[in-house]
Amino acid sequence: MASFFDPPSAKPLLSKEKISKVYKSMRFKVFMGSFLGYAAYYLVRKNLSLAAPGMIEDGLVDKAGVGIAMSAVSIAYAFSKFIMGSVSDRSDARKFLVIGLILASLTMMSVGLIPFGTNQMFNVAVIFILMLIVGWLSGMGWPPCGRIMAYWFSQNERSFKMSVWNTSHTLGGGTLGLLVTFGMFIFAGIGIEQTWRAAFVVPSVVALLIAAFCWWALRDRPEACGLPSIQEWRNDYSGVKKADASGKKIPFKELFIDYIFKNKFLWVIAFANSFVYMVRYGVGDWAPIYLQEMDIMTAEESNLAFALHNYAGIPGTIICGWISSRFFKGRCTPPNVIFMGAVLFGTLVYWQAGNIAALFAGASASPEVVASVSKFLVYFALVLVGFCIYGPVALIGIQALNLVPKNAAGTAAGFVGLFGYLFGDAILSKLLMGTVAETTGWEITFIMLSAASVLAMLLCALTWKSEKKLSEN
C-alpha cells in the first residue's frame, strides 16, 4: 500500500518544440487542480460552525461542547499537517490530495446522517471522534499543494502566485456558507426539520465532485511528465541552493533535525502563526453562534456574514502578496505587520459595534436605527478582518517554503501549521474561547482576540531585520 503513494518516476524529456507548450498547459492545470482541491477541503472542515446554532437550539450540544468538538478538527489537523507533510514529501501529490479529499468528504457527510439523541455528552463524544478523523484527513490537503507549487513554480514567481493560490481556502470557506444556506433551504422544502444537517451533507457532495476534477488535473512534478525542472525551464536558480529537483527523498533524521528544528527563523514565524490563527478562527468560526445568540443577526444573515468574511480574504490575500513583491522585494514581514494592525482595528470594531452605533446614531435614535447601524458595522468589521487576516496566513506559509529545500517544503509547512492549528486554533480559539464564552460571556473572548492580534504583530516584527538580511544573501 505504501508503494502506491510513491512519487512517479521521471520520464524521458519531450522534444524541445513541445516542452514550452506542455509546460504552460500543465502549470495551469496543476494550479487549478491544487487551487480547487484545497478549496474543497474547506467545504468539509468548518461545517460544524454553521450547523452549531441549530444543534444548540435543538438541545443536542452547548457552546462548551461545540468548542470541544470543533477543537478535534484543529488538534488532529495540527499533527496531521506536520506528519503528513513529511509523508507527502515522499508521495505522489495527486494521489495524496485526492484520496484524502474523498475520505474527508465521506466522513463529514456521515455527521449529517447520524440520528443524535438528547444526551449531550454522548453527542459531543461522537462528533469529536468524527471531527478527529476529518481533521486528520484534512492534513492531506496543504502539504501536497505545497509540494506542487514548489516543483511547478520557481522562487522569484512563487510569492505572488502562492498568494493567489492561497485564496483557495477563503473561496472554499465563503462558498461553504452559501452552500449551507442553500442546503438548509432545500432540506426545509422537502420537509426535513433539522435543517442543520444540510451543513454536513450538501458541501460534502460538492467536494466529492471536485475530487474527480482534481484527479484529472493534477500531476506530481514536471520531471514525471517528461519536462525539465522548473529552474531549468525558467532559468531561475534563485532561492535555496540545496533544493533538489530530482524528487530524492531526504532521510527523516536529516529532514527534521537539520532543516526544521535547527532553523531558528522557522521557530519565530511558527509562534507568530499561532496568534494569527487564533484570531483567524476565533473571529470566523464563532461568528455564526455569537451573532445569533446575541440577536444581532438571523441564521441566514450570519451565514452571509461568514461567507463575506471568507470571500474578503481573496482580494486581501492577493493584495498582500502584491505589496510583498512590489514594495518589499518579496519580503513577507512588513506586510504581515501592516495587515495584522488592520486586523486589530477590525476586531475592536467587531467587539464594540453596538457602542459605536449608539454613539454615531445619537441619543435620540430609535433602537431599530441603532441595531441597523450596529449590524452594518459588524458586516464591515468581519469583512475587514477577513480581508486582512489571510494575507499573513499566506505569507507566513511562503516564508516557511522559502527557508528549506523543495523536497522539505511539506515538512516545513507542516511544522509552522502545527503551531497555528494546535496552539492557535485548537487550544486558544476553540477550547479556551468556547469555555470562556460559556462560563463568563463573550467580552473576555474579544479581549483575548485583541491581545492575540498585538502579539502576532510583535512576533512578526521580530523577523524584520533577519528576513531582510536573508533576502540580500
Side-chain angles (χ1 to χ4, degrees), residues 382-451:
L382 286 174
V383 168
L384 178 61
V385 172
F387 183 90
C388 295
I389 193 66
Y390 291 104
V393 169
L395 293 187
I396 286 176
I398 293 170
Q399 281 182 300
L401 294 180
N402 290 344
L403 288 168
V404 297
K406 291 199 300 298
N407 46 354
T411 308
F415 178 74
V416 173
L418 176 67
F419 277 75
Y421 283 100
L422 179 59
F423 297 110
D425 186 10
I427 295 177
L428 297 177
S429 82
K430 296 297 191 301
L431 293 175
L432 184 58
M433 284 188 60
T435 301
V436 169
E438 184 68 34
T439 56
T440 65
W442 293 101
E443 288 294 307
I444 303 300
T445 65
F446 280 104
I447 295 175
M448 292 163 54
L449 292 172
S450 301

Side-chain angles (χ1 to χ4, degrees), residues 5-9 26 30 88-96 144-145 147-152 217-225 246-247:
F5 285 100
D6 281 350
S9 302
M26 287 304 303
V30 298
S88 74
D89 283 330
R90 305 156 65 86
S91 303
D92 184 341
R94 178 197 192 196
K95 295 176 181 177
F96 209 76
C145 290
R147 176 183 173 88
I148 288 170
M149 296 301 292
Y151 273 105
W152 287 91
L218 292 176
R219 295 297 184 272
D220 183 66
R221 55 195 177 93
E223 292 84 352
C225 300
S246 68

Side-chain angles (χ1 to χ4, degrees), residues 257-278:
I257 301 300
D258 294 344
Y259 294 117
I260 305 300
F261 291 115
K262 290 184 179 179
N263 195 326
K264 297 179 181 179
F265 195 24
L266 203 60
W267 280 90
V268 174
I269 63 173
F271 278 109
N273 204 38
S274 297
F275 294 107
V276 171
Y277 269 64
M278 179 185 176

Side-chain angles (χ1 to χ4, degrees), residues 308-338:
L308 292 176
H309 168 75
N310 282 277
Y311 281 142
I314 296 176
T317 304
I318 295 173
I319 290 173
C320 189
W322 177 77
I323 290 174
S324 170
S325 298
R326 177 66 177 81
F327 298 103
F328 299 104
K329 298 180 180 179
R331 290 165 55 209
C332 301
T333 299
N336 282 346
V337 173
I338 295 169

Side-chain angles (χ1 to χ4, degrees), residues 63-141:
K63 290 194 293 294
V66 169
I68 292 171
M70 288 197 301
S71 72
V73 176
S74 306
I75 292 170
Y77 184 66
F79 288 103
S80 177
K81 188 175 182 181
F82 185 38
I83 295 172
M84 289 299 188
S86 62
V87 176
S88 74
D89 283 330
R90 305 156 65 86
S91 303
D92 184 341
R94 178 197 192 196
K95 295 176 181 177
F96 209 76
L97 184 146
V98 172
I99 291 175
L101 179 56
I102 291 173
L103 294 176
S105 301
L106 294 175
T107 305
M108 186 61 81
M109 184 185 297
S110 70
V111 183
L113 303 176
I114 295 175
F116 292 105
T118 57
N119 189 321
Q120 290 191 354
M121 289 184 63
F122 179 77
N123 293 340
V124 170
V126 171
I127 299 171
F128 183 88
I129 292 172
L130 291 172
M131 291 300 103
L132 274 177
I133 297 173
V134 168
W136 187 266
L137 294 170
S138 294
M140 298 177 72

